[in-house]
Amino acid sequence: MTEEFSHLFPASRAVAALSAEERIRRIRADRWINYPRAEQALAKLEGLIVFPQRARMPNLLIVGASGMGKTMIVEKFSRDHPSRFDAVSGCMHMPVIVVQMVSGPDEARFYKRLLAAIGAPEPPRATLSVLENLTLRLLSEIRPGLLVIDEVHSLQAGSVREQTRFLNMLRFLGNELRIPLVCVGTQQARNALRTDDQLVRRFEAFALPPWQNDEDFGGLIGSLQRTLPLRRPSEIGAPMLKRLIEVTGGITAGVFSLMGRLAIAAIESGEERIVARDVADKRNVLALLGDPV
């Protein structure tokens, strides 16, 4: 039966043979779609994780508007480098540690969140000094390849003095552990790092700009529609690509969400394909964006 669905990627053909309810459930689940800018970001992260230790390690700042897929790239990289138990040392080795920035530049809260990320209990006497020493000791045992701090633009919730202290802590962690730091956030993240001239010079900025109506966007939509388990080939031409950019602002999350809603509507209606008229009517688009996906 799956030979009928040659317009889909092989893994999606079997899904297209399932019930409407199951296909809708699969559409609503997260999925990874490769595209050139994401591959470039992953390549940069790959270069950092194998970088030899030295006194000044290189760092990376991934910048993009909310919804541009920054966190998905980090999660994909983390999945590609899973933790493993080292039988020789008796320790868990975590190549990639991802921690979400706290709501302001609070060092003690950040250390607690970092301990939680590596599965360590919070010490009973959690002074800043105790938290710092414990975190450094455990991270030295775990031997991470890099430390990722997501939502780093939250730094700007504090005063300049608090931001400076927090950035000094990040520089200290990088220097002590001799691992690269990867900061992820919106454009405000770049401004936050500028508080520390020494630190910001060590960060290479990598931007994820909104999509434009170009060849790369066409490739993204082409790949995305081949993952959507619709039983008929969709008809997505140049006018529809332009319309998708207009209604989503070129934001990756908006593009994926709208395409998912269009696919679900196509299954529910029995049309089993996405066609240009689905986004030609502004009222239809607004109705779709208002539906849960």
Side-chain angles (χ1 to χ4, degrees):
M1 185 176 181
T2 57
E3 286 78 6
E4 299 176 53
F5 311 130
S6 58
H7 59 286
L8 300 176
F9 286 132
S12 299
R13 293 173 193 169
V15 179
L18 301 176
S19 67
E21 293 77 11
E22 180 59 23
R23 286 185 290 146
I24 289 172
R25 190 184 72 79
R26 299 289 186 97
I27 289 170
R28 286 174 169 157
D30 285 338
R31 59 190 172 279
W32 173 257
I33 305 293
N34 250 347
Y35 55 93
R37 198 65 179 159
E39 290 176 354
Q40 292 166 18
L42 290 171
K44 286 189 175 294
L45 292 170
E46 199 66 51
L48 287 178
I49 202 169
V50 298
F51 201 90
Q53 286 192 338
R54 68 181 194 190
R56 286 183 169 231
M57 298 296 290
N59 302 314
L60 182 66
L61 172 63
I62 301 178
V63 179
S66 179
M68 279 310 301
K70 304 180 298 295
T71 300
M72 288 189 72
I73 289 170
V74 168
E75 289 176 349
K76 162 69 172 167
F77 186 73
S78 185
R79 287 195 303 271
D80 290 344
H81 297 82
S83 302
R84 66 180 187 276
F85 182 72
D86 187 336
V88 176
S89 65
C91 296
M92 183 66 73
H93 176 45
M94 298 178 70
V96 181
I97 296 176
V98 182
V99 60
Q100 186 167 331
M101 178 65 192
V102 291
S103 56
D106 185 318
E107 299 128 285
R109 287 177 59 209
F110 181 79
Y111 276 128
K112 290 177 184 178
R113 187 160 288 185
L114 191 47
L115 288 171
I118 62 177
E122 183 182 320
R125 296 174 57 196
T127 64
L128 181 57
S129 176
V130 169
L131 289 168
E132 179 182 285
N133 291 333
L134 177 62
T135 303
L136 282 174
R137 179 173 63 79
L138 292 178
L139 288 179
S140 297
E141 292 175 358
I142 289 170
R143 294 181 291 111
L146 55 83
L147 173 62
V148 182
I149 303 110
D150 200 359
E151 304 288 335
V152 79
H153 49 266
S154 297
L155 259 174
Q156 291 202 303
S159 67
V160 172
R161 182 179 178 183
E162 289 170 332
Q163 291 178 47
T164 301
R165 267 200 351 243
F166 191 90
L167 291 174
N168 282 337
M169 180 204 68
L170 287 186
R171 182 148 44 91
F172 169 73
L173 277 176
N175 290 342
E176 284 292 305
L177 299 169
R178 296 201 174 189
I179 59 172
L181 303 177
V182 177
C183 288
V184 181
T186 63
Q187 179 60 39
Q188 285 72 31
R190 194 194 301 258
N191 299 332
L193 289 180
R194 285 185 179 138
T195 308
D196 188 318
D197 289 338
Q198 291 184 42
L199 187 62
V200 74
R201 282 198 295 267
R202 299 190 197 179
F203 276 87
E204 176 190 358
F206 182 89
L208 291 170
W211 292 94
Q212 303 294 318
N213 187 16
D214 55 18
E215 185 177 345
D216 283 347
F217 184 64
L220 174 74
I221 297 301
S223 294
L224 179 55
Q225 66 178 320
R226 295 190 71 188
T227 71
L228 297 171
L230 298 175
R231 293 174 176 173
R232 300 172 65 194
S234 295
E235 296 178 358
I236 300 178
M240 186 170 179
L241 292 175
K242 180 182 177 184
R243 184 70 173 144
L244 286 171
I245 290 290
E246 290 173 352
V247 297
T248 64
I251 300 299
T252 305
V255 172
F256 280 32
S257 178
L258 181 55
M259 287 292 289
R261 287 175 167 86
L262 290 169
I264 290 171
I267 291 173
E268 292 176 337
S269 70
E271 179 70 25
E272 291 290 346
R273 62 175 181 163
I274 298 170
V275 293
R277 67 173 178 270
D278 293 335
V279 294
D281 186 341
K282 183 178 180 181
R283 288 172 300 177
N284 183 48
V285 172
L286 291 175
L288 284 169
L289 289 174
D291 288 341
V293 69

